[in-house]
Amino acid sequence: MKALDFEYDGTLASSKGIVVCSFDSSDDETIDYGSKINFDVTSMRNGKEFELVNSGYDEAGEFTFQICKDPYMQLNRGNKYFTTDEQRFVYRWLNRNDGFHILKIVTSEENQTMLFKGSFNIETIEFCGKVIGFELTFTMGKPFATQDCKTITHTFKANEQFTIIDESDDIGYIYPDIQIKCLSSGDLKITNSIENRTTTIKNCSTNEVISVDENLNISTSLSSHKLYNDFNFVFFRIANSYTNNKNFISVNIPCEITIKYYPVAKGVGL
């Protein structure tokens, strides 16, 4: 997979005359883009068999790529080396200590965008004493990439069912951002059949807007509604198994629901 461009914390590399490149003549390499699962096993039958006890992601992934000036851009014509000011910009832009930021990589496959969260360490690449490029090592805040944000909005009638296809490559579940606008008063129940989970919020009012983010913070537009007394703390989530990624969502009272989530994308890179 070839990277056409990348964006970090809102700044596009191509807008600065920078491209992904390789100063190594070899085209074959093995790169770890995260998604390394740790399998905890226990010995059975005197070591003749091992049973899986637990599995999970224990390490932050890392990957490395190189950048240089785009020789085809007008602003770089005849100037393949980075000036001191340009070097300072690259470090200030990419080598961040103010938290993890979003890295978007636009690939050659139908201009598909992959997202990572993290920050870079940087080494300069010199030729004849001048800086011709940089080697970037990206430390990931999540053990995998994601696709672009998927936004789904649907207005439910009472007891209507709606289908969401979980596009994640990772088997399991995701807590999305969800916003619920109640179109009727009552005790709200949202059920996802794939896990047979029901989210219940009692004493909802007409036109009340209830929001839950991916960090499981819940709020309401109606200050008089004491959510923590009326919420069953079963947070809505999207899920999939190896054989099934269809989420059948049903709601018992009329409401408009907007769901935003980032499907997991494994096995993608530069």
Side-chain angles (χ1 to χ4, degrees):
M1 186 180 298
K2 182 179 179 181
L4 300 179
D5 203 352
F6 73 93
E7 176 186 291
Y8 185 64
D9 193 27
T11 299
L12 202 61
S14 59
S15 71
K16 302 299 180 180
I18 293 172
V19 293
V20 177
C21 67
S22 176
F23 292 98
D24 190 346
S25 59
S26 173
D27 292 330
D28 298 326
E29 55 182 333
T30 300
I31 303 176
D32 178 11
Y33 290 106
S35 302
K36 184 177 180 180
I37 301 174
N38 179 59
F39 299 103
D40 294 329
V41 297
T42 185
S43 176
M44 305 281 289
R45 300 176 184 175
N46 296 320
K48 295 181 179 180
E49 185 176 344
F50 291 86
E51 189 72 22
L52 180 65
V53 176
N54 188 37
S55 62
Y57 302 100
D58 289 347
E59 299 177 359
E62 285 188 352
F63 59 88
T64 300
F65 62 97
Q66 297 171 334
I67 59 173
C68 67
K69 286 190 172 183
D70 185 348
Y72 298 103
M73 289 197 68
Q74 188 65 38
L75 62 88
N76 291 334
R77 292 290 171 85
N79 183 18
K80 61 183 178 181
Y81 300 107
F82 288 82
T83 66
T84 299
D85 284 345
E86 289 169 338
Q87 293 174 51
R88 291 176 62 189
F89 166 76
V90 169
Y91 273 89
R92 182 172 176 81
W93 170 37
L94 300 177
N95 187 217
R96 304 283 286 273
N97 63 0
D98 59 345
F100 284 171
H101 301 280
I102 297 297
L103 169 66
K104 295 184 179 181
I105 297 175
V106 180
T107 74
S108 56
E109 294 188 1
E110 299 180 352
N111 287 340
Q112 187 176 23
T113 302
M114 296 299 172
L115 278 62
F116 299 86
K117 189 175 184 179
S119 191
F120 292 94
N121 281 316
I122 303 178
E123 294 183 31
T124 58
I125 300 172
E126 296 186 1
F127 180 74
C128 296
K130 297 181 179 180
V131 175
I132 196 171
F134 300 90
E135 182 165 285
L136 312 178
T137 299
F138 188 76
T139 297
M140 301 162 60
K142 292 184 177 181
F144 38 68
T146 68
Q147 300 177 39
D148 269 328
C149 181
K150 304 292 182 181
T151 301
I152 302 164
T153 299
H154 185 74
T155 301
F156 287 84
K157 299 176 183 178
N159 301 313
E160 180 187 354
Q161 189 177 83
F162 180 73
T163 303
I164 295 176
I165 304 297
D166 183 2
E167 300 180 21
S168 292
D169 296 337
D170 196 42
I171 295 171
Y173 56 82
I174 293 173
Y175 290 104
D177 289 342
I178 180 171
Q179 181 176 282
I180 307 157
K181 181 178 181 180
C182 300
L183 303 178
S184 177
S185 60
D187 294 343
L188 173 67
K189 293 184 179 181
I190 306 173
T191 300
N192 188 346
S193 66
I194 196 168
E195 294 183 298
N196 196 28
R197 286 170 58 91
T198 299
T199 298
T200 301
I201 304 174
K202 297 180 179 179
N203 300 315
C204 296
S205 300
T206 303
N207 293 325
E208 179 181 3
V209 178
I210 298 169
S211 301
V212 183
D213 66 23
E214 63 177 359
N215 296 316
L216 307 185
N217 298 307
I218 185 169
S219 62
T220 175
S221 62
L222 197 61
S223 59
S224 60
H225 190 181
K226 306 304 180 184
L227 283 178
Y228 289 92
N229 293 331
D230 290 333
F231 178 42
N232 69 344
F233 288 90
V234 177
F235 289 91
F236 176 83
R237 62 194 192 190
I238 297 170
N240 74 88
S241 66
Y242 181 67
T243 58
N244 182 20
N245 65 354
K246 292 182 179 180
N247 291 244
F248 297 111
I249 314 301
S250 57
V251 179
N252 68 318
I253 63 174
C255 60
E256 180 183 276
I257 296 180
T258 298
I259 295 168
K260 296 181 179 181
Y261 79 108
Y262 293 85
V264 174
K266 290 185 175 181
V268 298
L270 303 178

